[in-house]
Amino acid sequence: MSDDRLVIAGREFKSRLWVGTGKYKDFVETKKAIEASGADVVTVAVRRVNITDRSKENLLDYLDPKKYQILPNTAGCYTVEDAVRYARLGRAAGVSDLVKLEVIGDEKTLFPDTAGLIEAAKILIKEGFIVLPYTNDDPIVAKKLVDIGCPAVMPLAAPIGSGLGIRNPYNLKIILETVKVPIIVDAGVGTASDAALAMELGADAVLMNTAIAGAKDPIMMAEAMKYAVDAGRLAFKAGRIPRKLYATASSPIEGML
């Protein structure tokens, strides 16, 4: 897998498992889980985690910027104005011009406000940001985001933190077939088989947080997710056998006396 690199906007990433940093008991556990995952992209919520005040305990003190691509995100933002503001704060803090853009439309479901997302993406792209938008599994919205300049799209598998796994594989397949940029499945993964399925469908990467941080043993789950993503990617590249209604003998008798 070492030569199978993910490239987004000219940037190369070794791992196809991306991880978040919320919900861990402390920064030490966060660091250990990230190390076990093998991820090289780590998302950080600018609104919720201190990454700007260097005089206080800071998550970035536990993550080597030479080892990890820190990806600021606008988690918890419910308006275009807030999302744009926190994206700018992340860049001003010297973290990155990459941003995982979230504009949440509903407090209960945490589903995206897709109209607001597109509006915020247009603003940030004009300002030179590399925008990776978190959206629903709507192929039309995905295409609109690509058309305005997003170099990747991050559709949900299920509601954030739900652990329900991929609820609509058919929409994801349509997105994968019609949108010609990397697709990173984001939100809703519950366990390793969910991550493997996302990759088997053809996703370019999977981003998760709660599935690891909320596990009984986050470090062990992080390692499981690493293997699941690798296995799913290999299976996708290998090409699965077609589904058939009836059995086919493993040792055919054609040509035998």
Side-chain angles (χ1 to χ4, degrees), residues 157-158 162-167 172 185 187-201 203 205-206 208 211 221 224-225 228-229 232:
S162 67
L164 289 172
I166 298 174
R167 294 294 83 201
L172 284 178
V185 172
V189 167
T191 190
S193 57
D194 299 330
L197 176 58
M199 298 303 293
E200 288 173 5
L201 287 170
V206 180
M208 65 185 74
M221 184 60 82
M225 292 299 188
V229 167

Side-chain angles (χ1 to χ4, degrees), residues 44-48 72-78 86 100-104 160:
V44 177
V46 180
R47 185 168 186 151
R48 296 171 177 162
N73 72 51
T74 61
C77 293
Y78 287 82
Y86 282 99
K100 178 192 169 187
L101 180 62
E102 298 184 29
V103 181
I104 301 302
I160 292 173

Side-chain angles (χ1 to χ4, degrees), residues 92-184:
V95 180
S96 180
D97 56 358
L98 280 167
V99 61
K100 178 192 169 187
L101 180 62
E102 298 184 29
V103 181
I104 301 302
D106 177 71
E107 187 173 358
K108 183 176 182 179
T109 64
L110 300 180
F111 282 132
D113 173 355
T114 54
L117 178 69
I118 292 170
E119 183 181 347
K122 288 178 179 178
I123 295 169
L124 293 172
I125 289 168
K126 286 181 179 179
E127 295 182 7
F129 283 88
I130 300 170
V131 176
L132 309 181
Y134 163 70
T135 183
N136 57 21
D137 58 356
D138 183 338
I140 306 304
V141 173
K143 187 174 187 308
K144 288 182 177 180
L145 289 164
V146 173
D147 288 345
I148 64 174
C150 296
V153 179
M154 308 179 74
L156 54 79
I160 292 173
S162 67
L164 289 172
I166 298 174
R167 294 294 83 201
N168 194 340
Y170 305 105
N171 271 27
L172 284 178
K173 284 293 290 182
I174 293 170
I175 292 172
L176 288 162
E177 290 174 4
T178 58
V179 177
K180 303 306 179 184
V181 299
I183 300 299
I184 303 163

Side-chain angles (χ1 to χ4, degrees), residues 68-87:
Y68 300 108
Q69 171 67 62
I70 307 301
L71 177 60
N73 72 51
T74 61
C77 293
Y78 287 82
T79 67
V80 171
E81 293 75 19
D82 271 359
V84 169
R85 180 184 304 116
Y86 282 99

